[in-house]
Amino acid sequence: RGKALQPLFKMSYSCSKVGDPRPGHPYKGGNFCAFLPDNEEGRKIAKLLKKAFECGLTFQIKSCNGEERVTWGFIPHKTSWDGGKARNGYPDAQYLHEVGTVL
């Protein structure tokens, strides 16, 4: 496996904004962890993911059982180091190319 980069995003409670499911209502945050390989391509993707986060593209707010909560957005993330593509993990030979294309 080698070393893996692990971006950690912590989203706290806040109020939603225009464009969210229920603007002005509070939403529940959470901790989100994603895995990238510690190699040249993984570090390049990490920089792009950071930029996407800063632009507000990494997460979205969804209604779930009457509660607003933060969830992953449309950018695919590897949330497990194993389990393969079907479980959002590695091995997945195409992931870095696919996420690079989305970014």
Side-chain angles (χ1 to χ4, degrees), residues 14-89:
S14 188
C15 282
S16 54
K17 60 188 184 315
V18 173
D20 291 332
R22 294 176 53 203
H25 288 79
Y27 62 84
K28 185 176 182 178
N31 293 319
F32 299 82
C33 189
F35 297 86
L36 293 167
D38 188 7
N39 60 29
E40 184 178 342
E41 192 173 8
R43 288 186 292 273
K44 177 182 166 190
I45 295 299
K47 288 179 184 178
L48 293 173
L49 287 171
K50 181 180 180 196
K51 190 170 194 166
F53 176 77
E54 291 168 351
C55 292
L57 302 173
T58 304
F59 298 100
Q60 60 187 346
I61 299 173
K62 286 188 175 178
S63 292
C64 182
N65 298 325
E67 180 179 66
E68 309 300 315
R69 62 178 50 230
V70 176
T71 63
W72 289 109
F74 297 104
I75 299 169
H77 286 77
K78 289 297 180 186
T79 57
S80 175
W81 190 243
D82 54 23
K85 187 172 186 168
R87 298 186 64 133
N88 293 324

